[in-house]
């Protein structure tokens, strides 16, 4: 698989090891890869490198990858943006697409999944191949997604989100510290 014509990828993740490992794997697949660890580095590299593809992490230390998407789109309007996150939720996926991301994947991911998503074969194809679950998602999962949606609406302000949810701030912080509930119970 060779992608020389438009094969420039910018990886934006605060985890240097993840950036290095994924970058090496994508390089072996024929892509030219550069890495950034924060929004400032990413925008500077976009101006210089002009990537065709951008792989962006949702959490960049204290920054949010969601907030960086519009700036990246202004800098390289033709770039295809893939948002990665370790805390996947429907609310975050919808917000990422609204802000200009082209696709969204939950970590852990491998290089082949990233390549498929960058080339436009991920979410649409997977949605066509998926069977709907027999049961609705667990109530705890729905609660977690609702909390994520409200927190996103509050631009990450825990106190404001807690007020809107009718929770004490510490209670909300405890709920946020927990990992999200799985979509389907393990078999």
């Amino acid at each position: 698989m060779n992608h020389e014509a438009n094969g420039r990828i910018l990886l934006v993740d605060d985890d240097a090891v993840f950036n290095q490992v994924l970058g090496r794997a994508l390089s072996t697949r024929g892509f030219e890869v550069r890495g950034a660890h924060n929004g400032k580095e990413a925008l500077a590299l976009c101006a210089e490198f002009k990537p065709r593809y951008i792989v962006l992490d949702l959490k960049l230390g204290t920054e949010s990858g969601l907030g960086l998407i519009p700036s990246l789109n202004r800098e390289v309007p033709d770039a295809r943006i893939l948002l990665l996150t370790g805390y996947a939720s429907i609310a975050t996926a919808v917000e990422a697409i609204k802000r200009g991301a082209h696709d969204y994947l939950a970590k852990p991911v491998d290089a082949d999944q990233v390549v498929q998503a960058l080339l436009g074969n991920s979410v649409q194809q997977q949605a066509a191949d998926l069977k709907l679950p027999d049961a609705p998602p667990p109530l705890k999962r729905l609660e977690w997604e609702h909390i994520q949606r409200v927190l996103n609406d509050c631009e990450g302000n825990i106190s404001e989100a807690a007020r809107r949810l009718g929770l004490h701030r510490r209670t909300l912080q405890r709920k946020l510290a927990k990992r999200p509930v799985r979509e389907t119970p393990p078999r």
Side-chain angles (χ1 to χ4, degrees):
M1 194 184 289
N2 198 353
H3 307 281
E4 292 173 359
N6 288 318
R8 291 180 170 195
I9 297 179
L10 174 62
L11 298 179
V12 186
D13 197 310
D14 59 337
D15 182 346
V17 173
F18 179 80
N19 250 7
Q20 185 179 22
V21 170
L22 183 58
R24 193 175 313 130
L26 292 170
S27 292
T28 63
R29 287 163 175 78
F31 289 94
E32 184 181 348
V33 181
R34 300 266 176 93
H37 302 292
N38 58 49
K40 187 176 178 181
E41 285 180 28
L43 291 171
L45 270 173
C46 277
E48 168 197 327
F49 182 57
K50 298 293 184 197
R52 173 70 183 106
Y53 307 104
I54 299 172
V55 179
L56 174 66
D57 190 27
L58 178 66
K59 297 281 185 192
L60 298 171
T62 58
E63 295 178 80
S64 168
L66 284 175
L68 189 57
I69 293 171
S71 300
L72 292 170
N73 272 328
R74 279 192 298 276
E75 192 64 46
V76 278
D78 294 332
R80 185 170 175 82
I81 299 176
L82 168 64
L83 187 74
L84 299 180
T85 181
Y87 304 99
S89 75
I90 293 170
T92 308
V94 169
E95 187 63 27
I97 301 303
K98 281 183 184 176
R99 290 184 184 220
H102 295 87
D103 212 334
Y104 176 94
L105 289 176
K107 288 181 180 177
V109 295
D110 63 31
D112 291 329
Q113 290 172 303
V114 170
V115 169
Q116 285 181 346
L118 292 175
L119 298 177
N121 302 331
S122 178
V123 171
Q124 297 85 358
Q125 185 62 42
Q126 289 174 7
D129 294 342
L130 285 178
K131 294 177 81 175
L132 292 176
D134 295 334
L139 186 57
K140 286 185 179 187
R141 176 68 188 196
L142 294 174
E143 176 192 39
W144 187 86
E145 288 182 9
H146 179 65
I147 289 171
Q148 294 300 315
R149 190 175 310 114
V150 171
L151 187 60
N152 189 42
D153 290 345
C154 296
E155 297 177 354
N157 184 324
I158 300 283
S159 296
E160 177 62 24
R163 273 191 290 279
R164 290 185 186 183
L165 290 166
L167 297 173
H168 190 278
R169 183 179 50 81
R170 287 186 186 158
T171 302
L172 178 57
Q173 286 174 321
R174 278 193 298 274
K175 287 179 180 285
L176 290 171
K178 295 179 181 176
R179 294 196 169 266
V181 178
R182 293 180 186 203
E183 289 288 329
T184 57
R187 295 175 192 223

